Amino acid sequence: EIPEVEPHAYEQVQLGPWDILKSDLILTNEKLGHGQFGQVRKGYVKIIGDHQIPVAVKSLKANSFEKDKTDFMNELFILKKVGKHPNVVCLVGSCCIGGTLYVAMEYAMMGDLRTYLRRSRKSKKNLYVNYKTFCPLPQTVLLKFALDVAWGMAHLAERQIIHRDLAARNILLDENLVAKVADFGLSKNEDMYVKTSHTRVPVRWLALESLFSNTYSTQSDVWSYGILLWEIVTFGGTPYHGMETRQFINMLKQGYRLRRPRYCDGALYAMMLQCWIERPESRPSFADICSRLQRMLEDSQ
Ligand code: ADE
């Protein structure tokens, strides 16, 4: 006699176009860094004609904490809403095997942007800007990273998705170094989100209104995007390095902002400063940012 097993809530959610057959998902033991809900592993999904594509697989066990389950389901919901875009790490599909929910996402071979930038500092083939200053990566490469992320974010903004954790560590690079926005664990599908719980937040990337009144919007994502630009031109630097949280928050309130990094030209720094305008409505939109970066990229080529 086989006992009746009560289906878990998420087993009902997976019906739809995002379903993968159990037999089409191949899991490996290769770990790909840590997600919020335990491990991310490399896998493959079989597609038509005997081909298989590499994927990053996040999993959720049926006996996980309720909080982790809700967060995981939220991320899956957001991923379905995001749809396909070349500058977003997209959902491939999900499937439930033996009480565990597996979510397969596009695999980004070159890893996260922060690690990539930091590794470039040690590169032997530095490029000389002039006879005494060298730069680990060409300006065009840096501007292209910035533009890729802005395209991805413009797509999210169009769909009223607030990312809430935009930072270089959450940008992944594919085999052609195309940058893709990832990690939707904290994302919300709302115009404005007010945080009520006391969970950990990425303070150094947060807008003033998020720090002081827990409010999040596409315009607070624009602030974080400005910090991400700063990370790009500092090759993975830590914002407000050496300062304590309370110290830099007070200085931000008084109007202090991160200084212009060495490899950052005036136009790019001006845009960063606009991302950090106190009034959210006065910051540029992602669409604005895209067209300005496109011009900067054309001028630098
Ligand atoms: N680590 C976490 N997510 C990943 C992804 N989608 N591709 C490669 N490495 C990852």
Side-chain angles (χ1 to χ4, degrees):
E1 187 85 0
I2 300 162
E4 193 73 27
V5 178
E6 193 189 328
H8 285 274
Y10 59 67
E11 287 176 29
Q12 291 147 37
V13 186
Q14 32 143 6
L15 304 164
W18 297 106
D19 234 5
I20 312 175
L21 290 174
K22 292 176 192 183
S23 54
D24 285 349
L25 181 65
I26 304 157
L27 283 164
T28 74
N29 279 322
E30 189 185 332
K31 295 185 181 82
L32 298 173
H34 281 270
Q36 195 195 338
F37 322 101
Q39 278 160 12
V40 181
R41 284 197 289 167
K42 188 167 182 189
Y44 297 89
V45 170
K46 287 187 206 157
I47 54 162
I48 32 166
D50 252 4
H51 293 290
Q52 52 188 42
I53 53 164
V55 288
V57 185
K58 287 192 181 188
S59 54
L60 177 78
K61 290 197 171 75
N63 61 359
S64 307
F65 292 116
E66 275 314 308
K67 171 80 173 66
D68 289 346
K69 280 191 196 173
T70 2
D71 287 358
F72 196 93
M73 294 317 295
N74 173 64
E75 181 165 10
L76 184 55
F77 169 82
I78 297 281
L79 283 165
K80 289 177 179 178
K81 193 93 186 176
V82 168
K84 299 261 179 245
H85 189 278
N87 301 109
V88 172
V89 173
C90 298
L91 176 67
V92 174
S94 62
C95 121
C96 192
I97 307 171
T100 301
L101 176 64
Y102 295 92
V103 173
M105 329 251 297
E106 275 182 293
Y107 175 69
M109 192 177 81
M110 297 299 283
D112 76 277
L113 178 60
R114 182 170 188 271
T115 306
Y116 183 85
L117 290 167
R118 291 185 74 87
R119 231 179 318 174
S120 78
R121 295 178 181 196
K122 301 185 189 89
S123 155
K124 292 283 183 289
K125 42 176 188 176
N126 288 318
L127 298 129
Y128 282 81
V129 175
N130 57 42
Y131 74 96
K132 60 178 181 187
T133 329
F134 58 81
C135 183
L137 291 169
Q139 200 66 22
T140 51
V141 171
L142 300 181
L143 286 171
K144 180 59 173 33
F145 286 152
L147 182 56
D148 282 342
V149 177
W151 275 329
M153 289 306 298
H155 175 77
L156 297 190
E158 263 173 45
R159 278 152 202 248
Q160 276 89 38
I161 293 164
I162 318 171
H163 189 286
R164 294 183 64 229
D165 198 8
L166 186 58
R169 62 179 174 275
N170 289 332
I171 302 300
L172 296 176
L173 301 172
D174 77 1
E175 65 280 11
N176 299 313
L177 291 183
V178 171
K180 292 163 183 269
V181 179
D183 227 311
F184 295 89
L186 298 180
S187 302
K188 302 289 166 193
N189 185 204
E190 276 158 71
D191 285 337
M192 176 81 87
Y193 171 75
V194 181
K195 190 172 93 71
T196 49
S197 65
H198 298 275
T199 42
R200 273 179 64 83
V201 284
V203 276
R204 287 165 200 268
W205 282 261
L206 290 191
L208 276 169
E209 69 276 13
S210 311
L211 290 167
F212 285 91
S213 30
N214 287 323
T215 52
Y216 295 82
S217 61
T218 290
Q219 293 313 97
S220 61
D221 275 348
V222 169
W223 179 297
S224 310
Y225 179 83
I227 305 286
L228 196 154
L229 282 179
W230 185 92
E231 291 183 274
I232 292 175
V233 290
T234 57
F235 302 94
T238 304
Y240 319 104
H241 184 79
M243 291 172 85
E244 291 199 34
T245 307
R246 187 157 317 160
Q247 194 184 0
F248 75 77
I249 291 178
N250 283 336
M251 291 182 78
L252 281 175
K253 192 66 193 165
Q254 288 161 24
Y256 163 93
R257 296 294 183 267
L258 288 166
R259 301 215 322 248
R260 183 173 72 84
R262 184 188 303 167
Y263 300 115
C264 180
D265 72 19
L268 194 64
Y269 186 58
M271 198 166 75
M272 266 182 222
L273 287 178
Q274 287 171 5
C275 292
W276 304 326
I277 293 175
E278 180 154 359
R279 223 171 78 95
E281 313 87 89
S282 305
R283 294 171 203 153
S285 66
F286 280 114
D288 265 343
I289 293 172
C290 289
S291 49
R292 285 163 70 176
L293 280 171
Q294 215 149 8
R295 241 170 296 137
M296 288 184 215
L297 192 57
E298 281 160 18
D299 293 345
S300 80
Q301 275 162 347

